[in-house]
Amino acid sequence: MTFTQQILTILMVVLGTMITRFLPFLIFPADKPTPKYIQFLGNYLPAAVFGLLVIYCLKNVSIFSGSHGIPELLSILVVIGLHLWKRQMLISIAGGTICYMLLIQFLF
């Protein structure tokens, strides 16, 4: 890329980031009530996203070959246990990821 293309790329990324950050405040100002469908999405989308994440992560797991899905199952249990214990999403995700990586590196 030429220098001009690099500058334009950086400017477009900055513009895209700024639009995604400021647009919700312009569409839904603080002095007006938030629409019901936005409140509904705010309540149910996080769980739906994590459900899709779980399905995506487990789509290639075969219980009939290799490690039979044992590392994945143990990591899921660690995530559930950490979440029930600490109620911190990042700790749960990091703990499950670390557990999975250690299991596949050293045991399976």
Side-chain angles (χ1 to χ4, degrees):
M1 283 174 36
T2 66
F3 182 72
T4 305
Q5 290 172 331
Q6 290 175 356
I7 296 297
L8 286 174
T9 301
I10 292 169
L11 289 174
M12 295 306 289
V13 169
V14 167
L15 179 66
T17 302
M18 289 176 63
I19 287 173
T20 59
R21 298 291 188 249
F22 299 139
L23 193 60
F25 296 103
L26 296 174
I27 295 174
F28 307 113
D31 58 341
K32 293 184 180 177
T34 305
K36 294 288 183 190
Y37 69 93
I38 298 297
Q39 292 176 2
F40 174 82
L41 291 175
N43 287 332
Y44 291 102
L45 271 183
V49 168
F50 279 107
L52 287 173
L53 181 62
V54 168
I55 291 170
Y56 178 77
C57 290
L58 298 176
K59 70 178 180 165
N60 293 326
V61 174
S62 174
I63 60 172
F64 301 113
S65 66
S67 61
H68 306 290
I70 295 170
E72 291 84 358
L73 178 63
L74 292 174
S75 298
I76 289 171
L77 294 174
V78 166
V79 169
I80 292 170
L82 283 173
H83 186 70
L84 291 174
W85 178 39
K86 289 291 187 178
R87 300 276 182 202
Q88 292 285 329
M89 185 184 339
L90 291 177
I91 291 174
S92 303
I93 294 170
T97 303
I98 291 168
C99 174
Y100 177 73
M101 295 308 290
L102 290 173
L103 286 171
I104 64 170
Q105 291 296 320
F106 297 116
L107 294 178
F108 294 96

